[in-house]
Amino acid sequence: MTQNVLLAGATGMLGGRIAHHLLLEPEIHLRLLVRSAERPNQQALLKPLIERGAEVVQGDLSDPPSLDRATQGADVIISAVQGGPDVIVDGQVALAQSGARNGARRILPSDYGLDLFQATPGEHLMFDLRRTADEQIAATGIQQINVLQGAFMEMFAPGAGTFDDDTGTVTYWGDGTQMIDTTSLEDTARMVARIALDPGVQEGKFAFAGDRLSILDATKVIEAQTGRTFKHLVMGTEAELRAAHSQALQETSHPFAAVLLAYQLYMLIGQTNLSHLQNGRYPDVPLENFTQFAARALPQRRTA
Ligand SMILES: NC(=O)c1ccc[n+]([C@@H]2O[C@H](COP(=O)([O-])OP(=O)(O)OC[C@H]3O[C@@H](n4cnc5c(N)ncnc54)[C@H](OP(=O)(O)O)[C@@H]3O)[C@@H](O)[C@H]2O)c1
């Protein structure tokens, strides 16, 4: 039977890939909630999806009537939005409420990360927002699935932060040996498309990871792939990171500084590592490990 899926965030980095993989599934009608399809880059992103059968409904998470139009007839709602409290809490809760009113069966909120439910309240603003949203979504009675896949492998590609392409430096706190769950963006999107449509998936966390490796392991893989050697820049100990994080939490004018340090802290101490991985649920969706990701996505070592 055809499943009607509503996706919010299709013009975003992850949402666009989720839309692509949903459209490969049989027996699906895909509707996209789009704020405005007028910006040229949005048109370019949406055109191939529309050509493959996706329907666009103009709307905004801050505009409840538009959500009621978008959720009409939807069986499953997927959110891949990004933003502050107005989007992540108020907007996603309004979307779930609208879905519940219109008889939607299931929602996947925009979680997609480390196990945010293991975070200490007040330490990580982005995790707090998602947990708050998820609690309020639960109150709507709609079935909720929280997809958790760790950090995107792309975050460890040179140039994305940890590995600095220009200076040839890998930067971390501690000794670089803590294991971190990680999955490529593409595999995350592929899994989201399958999980969303799978009637057998239970409510609650659905965790998976393409790899679990340390910063030191990732450095070896990247060096082998690119032929470059990265200098190690150690920012400090766990105690020093905690002190910097506490200080950043006090300085409320730059909340994102505290968020970045909270990500570093949880990756260093493993507090939000994933558990009960369901990697093997879809045997036809093998998850690439970090070495395979590097071979696909990073430049190859030059041979003389
Ligand atoms: N684990 C990781 O390493 C990792 C890394 C990156 C992201 N993520 C997660 O993945 C999710 C998606 O992130 P992303 O980077 O793909 O986001 P993004 O590229 O910034 O895209 C955000 C999307 O949300 C839409 N949106 C924002 N506000 C909206 C509103 N009021 N109404 C309707 N749509 C709205 C945007 O629409 P417009 O085009 O109109 O702006 C856009 O389509 C987030 O939960 C994020 O935390 C995880």
Side-chain angles (χ1 to χ4, degrees):
M1 216 166 71
T2 299
Q3 295 201 60
N4 293 304
V5 180
L6 172 66
L7 171 65
T11 51
M13 176 178 73
L14 176 61
R17 298 316 297 160
I18 294 173
H20 165 77
H21 288 290
L22 283 168
L23 287 167
L24 295 174
E25 295 291 328
E27 310 287 323
I28 173 185
H29 176 261
L30 178 60
R31 185 182 289 160
L32 310 174
L33 174 74
V34 175
R35 278 204 278 204
S36 150
E38 281 159 20
R39 291 207 302 269
N41 66 330
Q42 286 180 317
Q43 286 175 14
L45 290 167
L46 293 170
K47 191 164 173 272
L49 302 176
I50 294 166
E51 284 171 357
R52 291 168 60 199
E55 170 196 0
V56 170
V57 171
Q58 197 158 353
D60 192 303
L61 294 185
S62 64
D63 174 21
S66 74
L67 300 184
D68 282 339
R69 286 194 299 278
T71 58
Q72 284 288 328
D75 302 305
V76 175
I77 300 171
I78 304 173
S79 171
V81 297
Q82 179 63 299
D86 55 326
V87 176
I88 296 297
V89 183
D90 304 341
Q92 291 199 109
V93 172
L95 180 64
Q97 287 169 338
S98 172
R101 273 196 301 277
N102 278 323
R105 185 175 76 242
R106 167 182 285 184
I107 187 165
L108 281 63
S110 195
D111 292 338
Y112 315 122
L114 308 174
D115 189 345
L116 57 100
F117 303 99
Q118 300 301 323
T120 306
E123 282 192 346
H124 192 309
L125 172 69
M126 301 307 267
F127 288 174
D128 285 351
L129 293 180
R130 282 164 175 74
R131 225 177 26 251
T132 303
D134 295 347
E135 281 163 16
Q136 294 183 25
I137 289 169
T140 67
I142 196 167
Q143 186 197 46
Q144 178 177 185
I145 296 166
N146 308 101
V147 173
L148 303 172
Q149 83 296 327
F152 288 156
M153 289 180 179
E154 283 76 0
M155 299 293 144
F156 298 111
T162 302
F163 291 85
D164 187 320
D165 223 5
D166 297 334
T167 60
T169 308
V170 52
T171 305
Y172 51 87
W173 296 80
D175 64 6
T177 61
Q178 174 62 245
M179 292 300 191
I180 301 166
D181 299 297
T182 180
T183 306
S184 72
L185 175 75
E186 202 61 21
D187 280 347
T188 301
R190 199 175 276 128
M191 286 292 279
V192 169
R194 294 298 290 273
I195 294 163
L197 300 174
D198 179 349
V201 169
Q202 303 287 310
E203 186 156 35
K205 294 187 222 177
F206 189 117
F208 58 89
D211 213 337
R212 179 170 271 173
L213 81 174
S214 69
I215 294 289
L216 298 187
D217 296 333
T219 307
K220 283 189 201 138
V221 171
I222 289 172
E223 287 181 342
Q225 174 64 25
T226 62
R228 294 187 68 180
T229 302
F230 283 80
K231 289 183 297 251
H232 291 239
L233 176 60
V234 178
M235 297 295 288
T237 63
E238 180 187 330
E240 287 166 331
L241 173 53
R242 284 188 185 278
H245 176 241
S246 298
Q247 194 180 341
L249 283 174
Q250 313 285 320
E251 288 165 16
T252 47
S253 52
H254 296 101
F256 209 66
V259 168
L260 290 177
L261 289 168
Y263 275 120
Q264 296 293 331
L265 179 63
Y266 287 156
M267 286 199 285
L268 173 60
I269 64 178
Q271 180 169 334
T272 49
N273 279 1
L274 305 181
S275 57
H276 304 100
L277 302 185
Q278 300 194 53
N279 285 5
R281 186 172 178 94
Y282 309 110
D284 59 325
V285 185
L287 303 176
E288 64 184 356
N289 63 28
F290 193 70
T291 304
Q292 292 165 327
F293 163 78
R296 172 175 66 79
L298 304 185
Q300 262 185 335
R301 171 196 280 272
R302 283 214 190 88
T303 46

